[in-house]
Amino acid sequence: KYIGMFSSDRRHGAGIQYFNNGESYSGSWVNDKQDGYGTYQYKNGDEYAGGFQRGCRGGTGIMKFHDGDKYIGEWVNSTFSEESEKYECNEIKHGIGVYIWKNGTKYEG
């Protein structure tokens, strides 16, 4: 179920998508892809809030894991696959970031 703005029959602008698997995304859409700032709620309790590019995590964001761990930093977003002719999500932590375990231990780098 999608509640939000459309342009030319595509999700475009602010909107919320509720997926059949129980997950949801609330934020900015461009040409039917998550793009800009948004929040993604995973069914296991994880939550990502931050940048999206072409439907993938990209740029600065905070990933809160259901076990209490947290990653704050940069993400590499997507690459274009010649084989499938579409963008695929890499979603790799990249550059400077901070990983914080639930016991308070931190890794910065």
Side-chain angles (χ1 to χ4, degrees), residues 4-49:
M5 301 174 73
F6 286 91
S7 177
S8 300
D9 283 337
R10 293 175 160 241
R11 295 169 288 189
H12 195 87
I16 302 170
Q17 175 72 53
Y18 298 97
F19 300 100
N20 291 335
N21 66 0
E23 298 180 344
S24 66
Y25 170 80
S26 174
S28 179
W29 295 83
V30 175
N31 292 323
D32 226 27
K33 301 251 185 224
Q34 300 143 329
D35 202 298
Y37 183 84
T39 301
Y40 196 101
Q41 300 276 338
Y42 296 86
K43 66 181 175 184
N44 69 354
D46 292 353
E47 176 187 277
Y48 173 78

Coordinates of all heavy atoms in Angstrom, one line a residue, residues 4-49:
G4 N 0.8 8.7 -0.9 CA 1.7 9.8 -1.1 C 1.5 10.4 -2.5 O 0.5 10.2 -3.2
M5 N 2.6 11.1 -2.9 CA 2.5 11.8 -4.2 C 2.9 11.0 -5.4 O 3.7 10.0 -5.3 CB 3.4 13.0 -4.1 CG 3.0 14.0 -2.9 SD 4.2 15.3 -2.7 CE 3.8 16.3 -4.1
F6 N 2.3 11.3 -6.5 CA 2.6 10.6 -7.8 C 3.0 11.7 -8.9 O 2.5 12.8 -8.8 CB 1.4 9.8 -8.3 CG 1.1 8.6 -7.6 CD1 0.3 8.6 -6.5 CD2 1.7 7.4 -8.0 CE1 0.0 7.4 -5.8 CE2 1.4 6.2 -7.3 CZ 0.6 6.2 -6.2
S7 N 3.7 11.2 -9.9 CA 3.9 12.0 -11.1 C 4.0 11.0 -12.2 O 4.8 10.1 -12.2 CB 5.2 12.8 -11.0 OG 5.5 13.6 -12.1
S8 N 3.2 11.2 -13.2 CA 3.2 10.3 -14.4 C 3.0 8.8 -14.0 O 3.7 8.0 -14.4 CB 4.4 10.5 -15.2 OG 4.5 11.8 -15.7
D9 N 2.1 8.6 -13.0 CA 1.8 7.2 -12.5 C 3.0 6.6 -11.8 O 3.1 5.4 -11.7 CB 1.3 6.3 -13.6 CG -0.1 6.6 -14.0 OD1 -0.9 7.1 -13.1 OD2 -0.5 6.2 -15.1
R10 N 3.9 7.4 -11.3 CA 5.1 6.9 -10.5 C 5.1 7.6 -9.2 O 4.7 8.7 -9.1 CB 6.4 7.1 -11.3 CG 6.5 6.4 -12.6 CD 7.8 6.7 -13.3 NE 8.1 5.7 -14.2 CZ 9.2 5.0 -14.2 NH1 10.1 5.2 -13.3 NH2 9.4 4.0 -15.1
R11 N 5.6 6.8 -8.2 CA 5.8 7.5 -6.9 C 6.8 8.5 -7.0 O 7.9 8.3 -7.6 CB 6.2 6.4 -5.8 CG 5.1 5.4 -5.6 CD 5.7 4.2 -4.8 NE 6.6 3.4 -5.6 CZ 7.1 2.2 -5.3 NH1 6.8 1.7 -4.1 NH2 7.9 1.6 -6.1
H12 N 6.5 9.8 -6.6 CA 7.4 10.9 -6.8 C 7.0 12.0 -5.8 O 5.9 12.5 -5.8 CB 7.2 11.4 -8.3 CG 8.3 12.3 -8.7 ND1 9.5 11.8 -9.2 CD2 8.5 13.6 -8.6 CE1 10.3 12.9 -9.5 NE2 9.7 14.0 -9.1
G13 N 8.0 12.3 -5.0 CA 7.7 13.3 -3.9 C 7.6 12.5 -2.6 O 8.2 11.4 -2.4
A14 N 7.0 13.1 -1.6 CA 6.9 12.5 -0.3 C 5.8 11.4 -0.3 O 4.8 11.5 -0.9 CB 6.5 13.5 0.8
G15 N 6.2 10.3 0.4 CA 5.2 9.2 0.5 C 5.6 8.1 1.4 O 6.8 8.0 1.9
I16 N 4.7 7.2 1.7 CA 4.9 6.0 2.6 C 4.5 4.8 1.9 O 3.4 4.7 1.4 CB 4.1 6.1 3.9 CG1 4.5 7.4 4.7 CG2 4.4 4.9 4.8 CD1 3.5 7.7 5.8
Q17 N 5.4 3.8 1.8 CA 5.1 2.5 1.2 C 5.1 1.5 2.3 O 6.1 1.3 3.0 CB 6.2 2.2 0.1 CG 6.0 0.8 -0.5 CD 4.8 0.7 -1.4 OE1 4.7 1.5 -2.3 NE2 4.0 -0.2 -1.2
Y18 N 4.0 0.8 2.4 CA 3.9 -0.4 3.3 C 4.0 -1.6 2.4 O 3.2 -1.9 1.5 CB 2.5 -0.4 4.0 CG 2.3 0.9 4.9 CD1 1.6 2.0 4.4 CD2 2.9 0.9 6.2 CE1 1.5 3.1 5.2 CE2 2.7 2.0 7.0 CZ 2.0 3.1 6.5 OH 1.9 4.2 7.3
F19 N 5.0 -2.4 2.7 CA 5.3 -3.6 1.9 C 4.5 -4.8 2.4 O 4.2 -4.9 3.6 CB 6.8 -3.9 1.8 CG 7.6 -2.8 1.2 CD1 8.2 -1.9 2.0 CD2 7.6 -2.6 -0.2 CE1 8.9 -0.8 1.4 CE2 8.3 -1.6 -0.8 CZ 9.0 -0.7 0.0
N20 N 4.2 -5.8 1.6 CA 3.5 -7.0 2.0 C 4.2 -7.8 3.1 O 3.6 -8.6 3.8 CB 3.2 -7.9 0.8 CG 2.2 -7.2 -0.1 OD1 1.4 -6.4 0.3 ND2 2.2 -7.6 -1.4
N21 N 5.6 -7.7 3.1 CA 6.4 -8.4 4.1 C 6.4 -7.8 5.5 O 7.1 -8.3 6.4 CB 7.8 -8.7 3.6 CG 8.6 -7.4 3.4 OD1 8.1 -6.3 3.7 ND2 9.8 -7.5 3.0
G22 N 5.7 -6.7 5.7 CA 5.6 -6.0 7.0 C 6.6 -4.9 7.1 O 6.7 -4.2 8.2
E23 N 7.4 -4.6 6.1 CA 8.4 -3.5 6.2 C 7.8 -2.3 5.6 O 6.7 -2.3 5.0 CB 9.7 -3.9 5.4 CG 10.4 -5.1 6.0 CD 11.6 -5.6 5.3 OE1 11.9 -5.2 4.2 OE2 12.4 -6.3 6.0
S24 N 8.4 -1.1 5.9 CA 7.9 0.1 5.4 C 9.0 1.1 5.1 O 10.0 1.0 5.7 CB 6.8 0.7 6.3 OG 7.5 1.1 7.5
Y25 N 8.7 2.0 4.2 CA 9.6 3.1 3.9 C 8.8 4.4 3.9 O 7.7 4.5 3.2 CB 10.2 3.0 2.5 CG 11.0 4.2 2.0 CD1 12.2 4.5 2.5 CD2 10.4 5.1 1.1 CE1 12.9 5.6 2.1 CE2 11.1 6.2 0.7 CZ 12.3 6.5 1.2 OH 13.0 7.6 0.8
S26 N 9.3 5.4 4.5 CA 8.7 6.7 4.6 C 9.7 7.8 4.2 O 10.8 7.8 4.8 CB 8.2 7.0 6.0 OG 7.7 8.3 6.1
G27 N 9.4 8.5 3.1 CA 10.4 9.5 2.7 C 10.2 10.0 1.3 O 9.1 10.0 0.8
S28 N 11.3 10.4 0.7 CA 11.3 11.0 -0.6 C 11.4 9.9 -1.7 O 12.1 8.9 -1.6 CB 12.4 11.9 -0.7 OG 12.5 12.5 -2.0
W29 N 10.6 10.1 -2.8 CA 10.6 9.2 -4.0 C 10.9 10.1 -5.2 O 10.5 11.2 -5.3 CB 9.2 8.6 -4.2 CG 8.8 7.7 -3.1 CD1 8.2 8.0 -1.9 CD2 9.0 6.3 -3.0 NE1 8.0 6.9 -1.1 CE2 8.4 5.8 -1.8 CE3 9.5 5.3 -4.0 CZ2 8.4 4.5 -1.5 CZ3 9.4 4.0 -3.6 CH2 8.9 3.6 -2.4
V30 N 11.7 9.5 -6.1 CA 12.0 10.1 -7.4 C 11.8 9.0 -8.5 O 12.5 8.0 -8.4 CB 13.4 10.7 -7.5 CG1 13.7 11.2 -8.9 CG2 13.5 11.8 -6.5
N31 N 10.9 9.2 -9.4 CA 10.7 8.3 -10.5 C 10.5 6.8 -10.0 O 11.2 5.9 -10.5 CB 11.8 8.3 -11.5 CG 11.8 9.6 -12.3 OD1 10.7 10.2 -12.6 ND2 13.0 10.2 -12.6
D32 N 9.7 6.7 -9.0 CA 9.3 5.3 -8.4 C 10.4 4.7 -7.6 O 10.3 3.5 -7.3 CB 8.9 4.4 -9.6 CG 7.6 3.7 -9.2 OD1 6.8 4.2 -8.4 OD2 7.4 2.6 -9.7
K33 N 11.5 5.4 -7.2 CA 12.6 4.8 -6.4 C 12.7 5.7 -5.2 O 12.6 6.9 -5.2 CB 13.9 4.9 -7.2 CG 13.9 4.1 -8.5 CD 14.7 2.8 -8.3 CE 14.7 2.1 -9.6 NZ 14.5 0.7 -9.5
Q34 N 13.1 5.1 -4.1 CA 13.5 5.8 -2.9 C 14.7 6.6 -3.2 O 15.7 6.1 -3.6 CB 13.8 4.8 -1.7 CG 12.6 3.9 -1.4 CD 13.0 2.5 -1.0 OE1 14.0 2.0 -1.5 NE2 12.2 1.9 -0.2
D35 N 14.6 8.0 -3.0 CA 15.7 8.8 -3.4 C 15.6 10.1 -2.5 O 14.6 10.8 -2.5 CB 15.6 9.2 -4.8 CG 17.0 9.6 -5.4 OD1 17.5 10.7 -4.9 OD2 17.5 8.9 -6.3
G36 N 16.7 10.5 -1.8 CA 16.6 11.6 -0.9 C 16.6 11.1 0.5 O 17.2 10.0 0.8
Y37 N 16.0 11.8 1.4 CA 16.0 11.4 2.8 C 14.8 10.5 3.1 O 13.7 10.7 2.6 CB 16.0 12.6 3.8 CG 16.0 12.1 5.2 CD1 17.2 11.9 5.9 CD2 14.9 11.9 6.0 CE1 17.3 11.4 7.2 CE2 14.9 11.5 7.3 CZ 16.1 11.2 7.9 OH 16.2 10.8 9.2
G38 N 15.0 9.4 3.9 CA 13.9 8.5 4.2 C 14.2 7.6 5.4 O 15.4 7.6 5.9
T39 N 13.2 6.9 5.9 CA 13.3 6.0 7.0 C 12.8 4.6 6.5 O 11.6 4.6 6.0 CB 12.6 6.4 8.2 OG1 13.2 7.7 8.6 CG2 12.8 5.5 9.4
Y40 N 13.6 3.6 6.7 CA 13.1 2.2 6.3 C 13.0 1.4 7.6 O 14.0 1.3 8.3 CB 14.1 1.6 5.3 CG 13.5 0.4 4.6 CD1 13.0 0.5 3.3 CD2 13.4 -0.8 5.2 CE1 12.5 -0.6 2.6 CE2 12.9 -1.9 4.6 CZ 12.4 -1.8 3.3 OH 11.9 -2.9 2.7
Q41 N 11.9 0.8 7.8 CA 11.6 0.0 9.0 C 11.6 -1.5 8.5 O 10.8 -1.9 7.6 CB 10.3 0.3 9.6 CG 10.1 1.7 10.1 CD 10.7 1.9 11.5 OE1 10.8 0.9 12.2 NE2 11.0 3.1 11.8
Y42 N 12.5 -2.3 9.0 CA 12.6 -3.7 8.7 C 11.8 -4.5 9.6 O 11.6 -4.2 10.8 CB 14.1 -4.2 8.7 CG 15.0 -3.5 7.7 CD1 15.5 -2.2 8.0 CD2 15.2 -4.0 6.5 CE1 16.3 -1.6 7.1 CE2 16.0 -3.4 5.5 CZ 16.5 -2.1 5.9 OH 17.3 -1.5 5.0
K43 N 11.3 -5.7 9.1 CA 10.4 -6.5 9.9 C 11.1 -7.1 11.1 O 10.4 -7.4 12.1 CB 9.7 -7.5 9.1 CG 10.5 -8.6 8.5 CD 9.7 -9.6 7.7 CE 10.6 -10.6 7.0 NZ 9.8 -11.5 6.2
N44 N 12.4 -7.2 11.1 CA 13.1 -7.8 12.3 C 13.4 -6.7 13.4 O 14.0 -7.0 14.4 CB 14.4 -8.4 11.8 CG 15.4 -7.4 11.3 OD1 15.2 -6.2 11.2 ND2 16.6 -7.9 11.1
G45 N 12.9 -5.5 13.1 CA 13.1 -4.4 14.1 C 14.3 -3.5 13.8 O 14.4 -2.4 14.5
D46 N 15.1 -3.8 12.8 CA 16.1 -2.8 12.4 C 15.5 -1.6 11.8 O 14.4 -1.7 11.3 CB 17.1 -3.5 11.3 CG 17.9 -4.6 11.8 OD1 17.9 -4.8 13.1 OD2 18.6 -5.3 11.0
E47 N 16.2 -0.5 11.8 CA 15.7 0.8 11.2 C 16.9 1.5 10.6 O 17.9 1.7 11.3 CB 15.0 1.6 12.3 CG 14.6 3.0 11.7 CD 14.0 3.9 12.8 OE1 12.8 3.7 13.1 OE2 14.8 4.7 13.3
Y48 N 16.7 2.0 9.4 CA 17.7 2.9 8.7 C 17.0 4.2 8.5 O 15.9 4.3 7.9 CB 18.1 2.3 7.4 CG 19.0 3.2 6.6 CD1 20.4 3.4 6.9 CD2 18.5 4.0 5.5 CE1 21.2 4.3 6.2 CE2 19.3 4.8 4.8 CZ 20.6 5.0 5.2 OH 21.4 5.9 4.5
A49 N 17.7 5.3 8.9 CA 17.2 6.6 8.6 C 18.4 7.4 8.0 O 19.5 7.5 8.5 CB 16.8 7.3 9.9

